[in-house]
């Protein structure tokens, strides 16, 4: 490919609306252009990268025994009603109507469709196990599509679905997929960590995520991990052992005491001269419009996904101060947010108030708690005495670094991660409600035991940029780079330089290297800048050195430069590329 013909427009500056590295780089280097919020054009360079990621995914999925198909992007409401998700999926599901007023949606994922396909064709235990996958655009009306390809509204996903006759069969396929995923990400030049996770809207019980560990802002997930054993989990799933803490108050009887101006836990601790671990803290959430109070030890935080799961909700937000005051008022209290407690709060906005507690509160004795009176708190309180322990007591706690590994007891560490793929054991979550069954050996109907396995193709490409860049641009891993190498004649007017450059270019192409020759009549500085920004893994510059028989060879990843012969340069690149296979 001639640089003069390549359809690419690099920009002088990073786009002003981009927050994360991959978004900035991919726009500036001419890979993507925004069409509308969260929706991007994949320009020729990007499309080459995406196709390479797809090829790696296809090769490994096929090797693992899965079969590719393609399902429609538009899906009918009826199937989503069968699974029960039409009502519960929330605003991420883009719903629309056709000219006959039939309701449809843009596929955010394809469990319903694949289950219907299986129901139609997988009738006997003899046909299983089977794993079907597709690579396709998905649409999710994400609330904040602000990270470029990392979180688009339209994005490309590989989604696979397995059908088995038993839990053991499912577990075997789950392990098979875990291994395929490890190979896929490694081939893409990414180091990933497989971590336990919450299964969210997809459902099911066991799930793992593949995380690209990154210290950039793009890591949307906190990953807790242990160096000593191999425990690692997304924050929405992580658990920990807590260090010793003082959870017993010194009061010998319960009473209500003055605590003026103690709006925060810290102020309350200072005023009463206690530690936060002796307080039961009450947080107010609105979950799917319904009021929920979450109780937790004063020094700990609520993990919102855990709370959502505890009450079976979909959308969660913390209540505003105004809502809390109103909630207190309608239940007969004249107080302020800092003094709220669960006692006597019955209903709000036409809903009963649900109270749930984190397990930490069970250890507290003679504790301090809000009693819905301004400038006062209850002290020396106990559960099953001054108040009842809520019906739901479960793990709602956000793990913090420094707490201890639940498996081996060593201090846990925390890092940020980008989720590039995940695997779920669905069981019969879709097959049972959709009546998707087969005949077993005894001629009895049974629902399929299913698994599902996703990889964000476009997110993986963006994550590769997050993991491989410097201030000058992208450093693509060779396997997914749009082109492997660029050959730059310093002066296109110099016949000898042009001749050597063209010879190298031809040699590379002949040996299967995807190369670009920068034939533009530009200053060398401009050519070098573009080469670095676009991120060609290898740069071969033909300049004055050619009089001594050498070219300049640059490895983008390490930025190492050496002067070697044209033959040596070509050989390094040809060897590296043939090793990819
Ligand atoms: P997230 O928690 O990041 O929203 P998810 O749990 O919703 O991801 P899945 O529904 O399991 O993700 O989708 C499978 C894969 O698709 C994810 O692992 C991720 O790589 C990718 N993916 C999900 N949402 C997006 C998005 N908005 N933009 C780009 N890729 C995405
Ligand atoms: Mg999501």
């Amino acid at each position: 490919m001639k640089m003069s013909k390549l359809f690419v427009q690099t920009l002088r500056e990073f786009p002003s609306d981009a927050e994360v590295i991959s978004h900035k780089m991919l726009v500036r280097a001419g890979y993507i252009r925004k069409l509308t919020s969260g929706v991007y054009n994949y320009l020729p360079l990007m499309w080459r990268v995406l196709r390479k990621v797809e090829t790696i995914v296809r090769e490994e999925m096929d090797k693992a025994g899965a079969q590719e198909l393609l399902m429609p992007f538009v899906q009918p409401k009826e199937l989503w009603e069968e699974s029960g998700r039409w009502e519960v999926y929330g605003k991420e599901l883009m719903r629309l109507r056709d000219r006959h007023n039939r309701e449809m949606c843009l596929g955010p994922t394809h469990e319903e469709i694949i289950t219907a396909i299986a129901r139609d064709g997988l009738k006997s235990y003899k046909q299983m196990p089977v794993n079907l996958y597709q690579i396709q655009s998905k649409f999710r009306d994400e609330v904040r599509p602000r990270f470029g390809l990392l979180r688009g509204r339209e994005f490309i996903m590989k989604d696979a679905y397995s059908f088995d006759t038993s839990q053991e069969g499912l577990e075997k396929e789950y392990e098979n997929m875990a291994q395929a995923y490890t190979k896929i990400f490694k081939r893409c030049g990414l180091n990933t960590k497989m971590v336990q996770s919450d299964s969210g809207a997809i459902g099911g019980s066991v799930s793992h995520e593949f995380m690209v560990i990154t210290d950039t802002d793009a890591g949307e997930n906190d990953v807790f991990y242990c160096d000593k054993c191999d425990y690692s989990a997304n924050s929405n799933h992580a658990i920990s052992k807590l260090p010793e803490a003082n959870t017993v108050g010194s009061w010998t009887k319960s009473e209500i005491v003055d605590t003026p101006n103690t709006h925060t836990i810290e102020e309350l601790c200072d005023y009463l001269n206690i530690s936060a671990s002796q307080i039961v803290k009450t947080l107010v959430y609105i979950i799917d419009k319904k009021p929920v109070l979450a109780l937790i030890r004063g020094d700990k935080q609520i993990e919102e996904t855990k709370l959502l799961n505890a009450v079976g909700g979909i959308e969660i937000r913390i209540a505003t101060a105004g809502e809390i005051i109103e909630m207190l008022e309608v239940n007969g209290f004249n107080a302020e947010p800092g003094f709220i407690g669960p006692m006597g709060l019955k209903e709000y906005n036409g809903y009963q108030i649900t109270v749930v507690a984190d397990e930490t509160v069970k250890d507290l004795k003679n504790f301090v708690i809000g009693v819905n009176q301004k400038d006062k708190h209850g002290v020396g309180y106990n559960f099953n005495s001054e108040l009842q322990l809520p019906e739901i007591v479960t793990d709602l706690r956000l793990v913090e670094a420094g707490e201890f590994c639940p498996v081996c007891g060593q201090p846990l560490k925390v890092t940020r991660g980008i989720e590039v793929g995940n695997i779920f054991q669905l069981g019969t979550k879709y097959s049972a409600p959709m009546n998707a069954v087969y005949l077993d050996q005894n001629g009895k109907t049974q629902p399929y035991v299913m698994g599902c396995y996703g990889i964000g193709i476009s997110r993986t490409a963006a994550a590769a940029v997050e993991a491989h860049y410097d201030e000058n641009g992208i450093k693509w891993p060779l396997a997914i780079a749009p082109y492997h190498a660029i050959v730059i004649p310093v002066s296109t007017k110099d016949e000898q330089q042009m001749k050597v450059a063209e010879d190298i270019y031809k040699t590379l192409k002949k040996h299967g290297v995807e190369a670009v020759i920068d034939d533009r009549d530009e200053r060398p500085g401009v050519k070098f800048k573009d080469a670095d920004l676009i991120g060609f893994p290898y740069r071969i510059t033909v300049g004055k050195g050619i009089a001594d028989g050498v070219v300049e060879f640059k490895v983008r990843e390490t930025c190492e430069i050496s002067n070697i012969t044209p033959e040596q340069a070509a050989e390094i690149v040809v060897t590296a590329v043939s090793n990819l296979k």
Side-chain angles (χ1 to χ4, degrees), residues 522-541:
E522 286 281 2
R523 282 179 294 115
V526 172
K527 295 183 179 182
F528 294 155
K529 270 213 170 87
D530 279 345
D532 277 355
L533 182 60
I534 292 171
F536 298 94
Y538 297 107
R539 185 182 89 193
I540 301 171
T541 308

Side-chain angles (χ1 to χ4, degrees), residues 431-501:
S431 49
M434 292 182 69
N435 196 26
V437 295
Y438 65 95
L439 286 179
D440 72 8
Q441 269 157 309
N442 306 316
K444 266 184 63 185
T445 58
Q446 304 281 1
Y448 314 116
V449 183
M450 293 171 57
C452 78
Y453 317 90
I455 288 182
I457 302 285
S458 40
R459 186 183 284 181
T460 297
V465 178
E466 296 289 336
H468 301 274
Y469 73 95
D470 65 14
E471 69 280 9
N472 298 320
I474 304 171
K475 298 173 163 185
W476 286 112
L478 189 60
I480 61 171
Y483 290 91
H484 301 129
I486 184 163
V487 183
I488 303 183
V490 169
S491 162
T492 45
K493 298 201 177 76
D494 184 311
E495 270 178 35
Q496 195 197 5
Q497 286 184 21
M498 269 317 272
K499 163 105 186 29
V500 175

